[in-house]
Amino acid sequence: MRTMHRAALPVLALASAAALVACGGGSSSSTASATATASDAAMEASAGASAPVSGQLTVFAAASLKEAFEEIKTEFTKKNPDLTITYDFQGSQDLVSNLANGAAADVLATADEKSMTSATEQSLVAEPSEFATNQLTLIVPPGNPGGITGLDSSLDGKDLVICADAVPCGNATNKLEEALGITLSPASEEQKVTDVRTKVESGEAEAGIVYKTDAATSGDKSDEITIPDGGVVNHYPLAVTSSASNTAAAQAFVDFVRGSEGQAILAKYGFGAPTK
């Protein structure tokens, strides 16, 4: 029996070796096939990825977007190092007016739908899309020397600064007055919300109505006084202009602002998410 067992060992060894060879051959074939598939997928993904954009890009943007858009510029140009972005931050109504008068820009971003509607009706832009929202708040100089408590009698005889009616934040202020059933008596009305903020920060004004994003950006240069929002929300749209000279970069910029990275930056500066 032992002799028969020993004689069988070479046979078993050969069979095992054959099985190992067979298994090894199948594994190599499967690995090669998987590698080829992964390589093909990588090539397809690479081919489908957006190529970096380059050249010059001019963006007309509402003044309230300045800080957030500067950071967006930094991050966007990291992905597109051959692109140069030039901003023009003004009141939305001025930006639309400048476009209508022949000013060159590739992207328009406004602080309200009214301004963008005007641009659309004049065929100055392609299809706009919302990318952020904002609301109003009240700020005072550090320490609140005027003793302001809100949109109430504490403002009587005080230097309150707001935005002019034609400016998005001014239009929103009018809506807030209507919603709350109050009448404000401002000492001055500014063409940009950033001008309102600057006057409060410098102590030239005792109070100012600005966007929540301005209060956040102002930091310790002013104090925020909580006020009812009255359900007033500003919707921020942006669009590629009809006269854009760098449409590829313009569309890439719009996509970035509306994408996860752009939205995270906007949220950091106090902007709300788009609602549509």
Side-chain angles (χ1 to χ4, degrees):
M1 293 292 291
R2 285 182 185 174
T3 302
M4 290 177 64
H5 180 66
R6 287 175 181 170
L9 285 177
V11 176
L12 290 172
L14 287 172
S16 297
L20 286 171
V21 170
C23 290
S27 176
S28 298
S29 176
S30 298
T31 301
S33 177
T35 301
T37 300
S39 177
D40 290 344
M43 289 177 66
E44 289 177 7
S46 176
S50 298
V53 291
S54 59
Q56 302 287 327
L57 180 70
T58 300
V59 179
F60 279 9
S64 55
L65 291 164
K66 187 177 188 304
E67 288 78 10
F69 266 30
E70 288 291 1
E71 184 168 338
I72 282 176
K73 173 182 176 179
T74 298
E75 296 305 313
F76 188 61
T77 51
K78 283 181 182 178
K79 300 176 181 295
N80 303 277
D82 295 324
L83 181 69
T84 300
I85 298 177
T86 300
Y87 283 129
D88 185 359
F89 295 107
Q90 296 188 47
S92 298
Q93 75 290 344
D94 291 330
L95 296 174
V96 174
S97 177
N98 290 343
L99 269 181
N101 289 323
D106 299 291
V107 175
L108 173 66
T110 65
D112 67 340
E113 294 176 297
K114 180 180 178 181
S115 297
M116 186 61 76
T117 297
S118 175
T120 302
E121 290 175 346
Q122 297 178 71
S123 300
L124 299 175
V125 296
E127 186 66 27
S129 55
E130 184 177 312
F131 68 96
T133 54
N134 213 346
Q135 291 181 287
L136 297 175
T137 192
L138 183 68
I139 59 171
V140 297
N144 192 11
I148 309 301
T149 57
L151 301 179
D152 50 34
S153 59
S154 65
L155 288 172
D156 293 347
K158 304 296 171 55
D159 289 329
L160 170 68
V161 181
I162 65 175
C163 292
D165 289 348
V167 183
C169 63
N171 185 42
T173 300
N174 288 337
K175 291 180 179 178
L176 184 63
E177 288 182 82
E178 293 176 7
L180 301 181
I182 61 175
T183 300
L184 300 172
S185 300
S188 69
E189 299 182 6
E190 307 301 322
Q191 294 301 311
K192 291 187 294 185
V193 68
T194 48
D195 290 342
V196 175
R197 189 179 82 201
T198 299
K199 283 195 170 185
V200 174
E201 291 174 344
S202 67
E204 186 178 347
E206 294 171 283
I209 296 179
V210 297
Y211 292 123
K212 285 184 173 293
T213 51
D214 290 282
T217 299
S218 184
D220 58 8
K221 294 180 182 178
S222 68
D223 293 339
E224 182 177 2
I225 305 296
T226 301
I227 59 174
D229 60 36
V232 178
V233 179
N234 268 37
H235 300 270
Y236 283 55
L238 82 170
V240 176
T241 67
S242 301
S243 58
S245 59
N246 193 345
T247 53
Q251 187 59 57
F253 181 86
V254 169
D255 292 342
F256 184 86
V257 170
R258 286 176 51 79
S260 58
E261 291 180 82
Q263 289 296 300
I265 292 172
L266 288 162
K268 186 170 79 172
Y269 286 89
F271 285 95
T275 58
K276 52 188 173 182

